[in-house]
Amino acid sequence: MKNESGVPNSRLEFIRDANVTKKEERTDRMEDYLEVIYELIKQKGYATMIDISNYLNVSSPSVTKMIQRLDESGYLDYEKYRGIRLTDDGIKIAKSIHNRHEILAQFFRMIGVDEEIANNDAEGIEHHLHHETLKKLEDFMTAMKDKRSPNKD
Ligand code: MN
C-alpha cells in the first residue's frame, strides 16, 4: 500500500527500526530472534524467513533487516541459498534466553498464573533479570518442589 504523496507504510517501520538499532548493542528483540531461530533449527532442522516472521509476528522486511544485523554482530551466518546458521555466540544467547523463559514461566505457573499469561510475562521479563536473581528464583523453586514431593509419595 502506497499513497500518492509517496510515503509507503514501510517508511515508518524503517525509521522505527533505525531508532531501535541505535539504542544498545544487543536488544531484547535480537535475543527473541535468536531464540526463535534456535527453536526452529532444533525442531525442523532449519529456520526460514517466513517462519521467523510468523513466530515473531513481524513483517518480512523487518526480518531481513534483523537477520543482517545479527549476522553483522556475529550471532549468525546468513547466506542466501544456504540459510541461517547460528554461531557459538548466537547459540549461547539463544539457550540462555530459552532457559530463562522456562524458569520464569515455570515459576509463574507454580504461583497459579495461567499458562498463556505465564508465557507472555516470561517473554518480556526473560531479558531483564540479573543472573543472580534468576539463580535465586531457581533455588527457591527447587526448595518448594522438595517440600512438596514427600507429600505426593
Ligand atoms: Mn522475549
Side-chain angles (χ1 to χ4, degrees), residues 26 31 34 75 88-98:
R26 196 176 78 227
E31 294 183 345
L34 292 171
Y75 296 121
D88 289 346
D89 273 356
I91 291 169
K92 206 172 98 189
I93 290 157
K95 278 186 175 169
S96 151
I97 294 296
H98 176 87

Side-chain angles (χ1 to χ4, degrees), residues 100-139:
R100 285 163 160 258
H101 188 105
E102 287 303 304
I103 293 164
L104 285 164
Q106 202 185 329
F107 172 70
F108 293 144
R109 286 195 301 267
M110 192 183 249
I111 59 172
V113 178
D114 166 87
E115 174 90 36
E116 200 185 328
I117 298 171
N119 272 309
N120 272 336
D121 282 355
E123 196 54 54
I125 299 166
E126 62 195 8
H127 310 278
H128 300 287
L129 282 189
H130 194 282
H131 62 87
E132 220 157 272
T133 313
L134 208 76
K135 178 80 182 65
K136 295 286 180 202
L137 194 60
E138 243 184 320
D139 292 347

Side-chain angles (χ1 to χ4, degrees), residues 23-70:
K23 268 181 197 153
E24 51 186 315
E25 242 174 56
R26 196 176 78 227
T27 63
D28 297 357
R29 211 56 188 144
M30 287 166 86
E31 294 183 345
D32 283 336
Y33 269 79
L34 292 171
E35 190 189 357
V36 162
I37 293 165
Y38 178 78
E39 281 299 319
L40 284 167
I41 293 173
K42 209 171 75 176
Q43 286 179 28
K44 298 177 69 176
Y46 55 87
T48 64
M49 296 287 189
I50 306 254
D51 280 336
I52 297 166
S53 82
N54 282 340
Y55 284 108
L56 287 171
N57 196 25
V58 286
S59 69
S60 296
S62 299
V63 174
T64 307
K65 255 187 130 225
M66 183 57 103
I67 295 301
Q68 260 167 8
R69 186 174 168 203
L70 290 166

Side-chain angles (χ1 to χ4, degrees), residues 2-27:
K2 189 168 64 175
N3 61 32
E4 283 307 323
S5 63
V7 185
N9 287 333
S10 63
R11 176 86 186 145
L12 285 171
E13 284 163 26
F14 221 43
I15 293 166
R16 185 193 60 202
D17 289 351
N19 279 288
V20 167
T21 311
K22 276 179 215 153
K23 268 181 197 153
E24 51 186 315
E25 242 174 56
R26 196 176 78 227
T27 63

